[in-house]
Amino acid sequence: MGNPPTRKNLFIDQLVPDQRYYLEFEGAALISTVYVNGQEVGEHNGGFSIFRFDVTDYLQAGNNQLTVQVDHKSRQTQYFQCWEG
């Protein structure tokens, strides 16, 4: 699959009502799966582009566990993102 998952604890004193919370990543190749408190938030397929997930519905006041699994091994086809400018 790739590297072992990375786990971090995030303590949130209190959640602000009607506020959205996001996790943003500067990039991870190739396939990244993000979990908050054991629930899958989403998967990103791509190289080194910035991506983010809305994690509002997964967070709780107090301690939260963030887990990121990155599969860096090539599948049948690799897609690289590039920009001209």
Side-chain angles (χ1 to χ4, degrees):
M1 177 101 176
N3 295 326
T6 298
R7 292 182 177 86
K8 299 287 182 184
N9 289 317
L10 172 65
F11 185 84
I12 299 175
D13 199 31
Q14 75 179 82
L15 297 170
V16 177
D18 299 322
Q19 179 160 338
R20 307 304 298 174
Y21 294 87
Y22 298 88
L23 284 177
E24 185 169 279
F25 299 84
E26 293 182 352
L30 291 168
I31 301 166
S32 303
T33 308
V34 177
Y35 304 86
V36 175
N37 295 323
Q39 297 181 51
E40 184 175 332
V41 174
E43 181 178 276
H44 172 76
N45 295 295
F48 300 99
S49 60
I50 294 172
F51 62 97
R52 72 179 184 166
F53 294 108
D54 182 341
V55 295
T56 307
D57 296 335
Y58 302 91
L59 293 174
Q60 60 193 17
N63 196 41
N64 294 272
Q65 184 179 66
L66 311 177
T67 305
V68 180
Q69 174 68 55
V70 178
D71 181 354
H72 63 272
K73 296 190 181 214
S74 173
R75 300 232 173 143
Q76 288 186 6
T77 306
Q78 277 186 12
Y79 296 97
F80 292 96
Q81 297 174 340
C82 60
W83 294 266
E84 287 186 33

